[in-house]
Amino acid sequence: MNKTSKIRFIKNSGLTLIFSCFLISNSYTKNNEFDIVVALDGSGDFTTISSAIASLPVYNYERTVIYVKNGIYHEKLRIEQDYTTLLGESVDSTIIQFGQLRDDWEKVRDAIGSAVINIYADDVIINNLTVINTQPEIGPHAFCIYGTGTRTILLNCNIKTKGADAVSLWNYKNGMYYHANCHFEGAVDFVCPRGWCYIVNSSFYEVKKSASIWHAGASDESQKFVIKNSSFDGVEGFKLGRHHYEAQFYLINCKFSKNMANVPIY
């Protein structure tokens, strides 16, 4: 059975703004203009990403590029400054990892947040690195990236967890998100935006017999979740998607493995 799906994409003005942010991010990376360098071996300005973020001004009015050299950074991060970019040296060798169950964080809350990367700012770009929530259980909420800001961009990233809600960007009123050339891996609803989200040239892998994607677009009838030129795979019997609130899914030129259950988005 051919499970390739082609659905007409309805243009959204919010996505145009996201593409503008994407062009801005590319101009910085091409010119190698790094404001701060993080290196575990001490060859940069800081040895931890969290200390680099802490050095930023409270109110950030210009884009700040934090270049992270290769290494495994055992950290949990909180970004509160707008226009912040985390740029890794290599997508496979620049790794930010931490083990965090949301339920554990709810019991003993810290000031950082319930995810490996917690974004409470607008116009944040995560580029060319891997983010892993290393908690070992399959299924429970274990965020890699959580955010309440808008215009959050993920480029050339690996996002992995064995739990649910790997990428949870939850600005339900005006959240706009753009992700390209990424690999997403997780359990229930592991990519679950609220608002507007456009993902292109990416791969999704479901580790449980549950829904891979989720959307909420109840605040505005134009809010959509659009995925283009991407692929879906996972354990045998995994499901494509589901929703609890009003939602719109558009899958364009996507490919689905034979392991996906023949079940509509529910």
Side-chain angles (χ1 to χ4, degrees), residues 31-256:
N31 294 328
N32 292 330
E33 296 179 0
F34 311 134
D35 300 290
I36 299 172
V37 176
V38 179
L40 289 171
D41 62 6
S43 62
D45 302 301
F46 298 93
T47 57
T48 66
I49 305 169
S50 54
S51 58
I53 294 172
S55 73
L56 299 178
V58 175
Y59 300 106
N60 214 26
Y61 298 108
E62 296 182 350
R63 181 154 301 280
T64 301
V65 178
I66 300 174
Y67 181 68
V68 185
K69 289 189 175 182
N70 288 341
I72 300 176
Y73 296 82
H74 299 275
E75 300 186 61
K76 196 166 70 161
L77 308 176
R78 184 181 181 96
I79 300 174
E80 296 181 298
Q81 294 86 354
D82 296 342
Y83 310 113
T84 298
T85 293
L86 294 185
L87 173 63
E89 180 180 357
S90 168
V91 62
D92 294 318
S93 298
T94 305
I95 301 170
I96 305 170
Q97 65 180 40
F98 194 90
Q100 178 70 76
L101 284 171
R102 186 180 71 170
D103 286 348
D104 290 345
W105 183 81
E106 292 284 353
K107 294 173 185 175
V108 183
R109 296 194 177 199
D110 57 36
I112 302 173
S114 56
V116 180
I117 299 179
N118 302 271
I119 300 172
Y120 293 90
D122 297 335
D123 301 287
V124 171
I125 299 171
I126 310 296
N127 190 353
N128 208 46
L129 50 78
T130 292
V131 183
I132 305 174
N133 191 322
T134 57
Q135 72 78 32
E137 297 182 54
I138 295 178
H141 287 96
F143 305 148
C144 291
I145 298 175
Y146 171 85
T148 60
T150 189
R151 297 182 299 277
T152 303
I153 296 176
L154 307 179
L155 303 173
N156 310 312
C157 288
N158 295 320
I159 312 295
K160 299 180 180 181
T161 180
K162 290 184 178 179
D165 296 24
V167 181
S168 301
L169 300 177
W170 285 355
N171 184 332
Y172 70 93
K173 289 186 178 180
N174 55 16
M176 294 181 288
Y177 318 114
Y178 174 73
H179 313 326
N181 304 312
C182 291
H183 174 74
F184 304 102
E185 187 170 321
V188 189
D189 307 338
F190 61 90
V191 179
C192 52
R194 300 173 187 251
W196 294 268
C197 183
Y198 181 47
I199 298 179
V200 65
N201 299 331
S202 295
S203 59
F204 298 73
Y205 190 88
E206 169 66 73
V207 301
K208 186 179 180 181
K209 290 185 178 181
S210 51
S212 301
I213 57 175
W214 181 97
H215 179 238
S219 295
D220 188 317
E221 63 181 9
S222 70
Q223 290 177 335
K224 303 172 182 69
F225 188 6
V226 179
I227 303 174
K228 184 176 181 181
N229 297 338
S230 297
S231 62
F232 289 81
D233 197 3
V235 300
E236 185 175 357
F238 82 91
K239 299 176 181 66
L240 176 59
R242 66 176 187 153
H243 63 101
H244 298 88
Y245 311 100
E246 292 295 327
Q248 296 188 69
F249 299 84
Y250 293 83
L251 282 75
I252 307 168
N253 294 331
C254 290
K255 296 180 180 180
F256 309 94

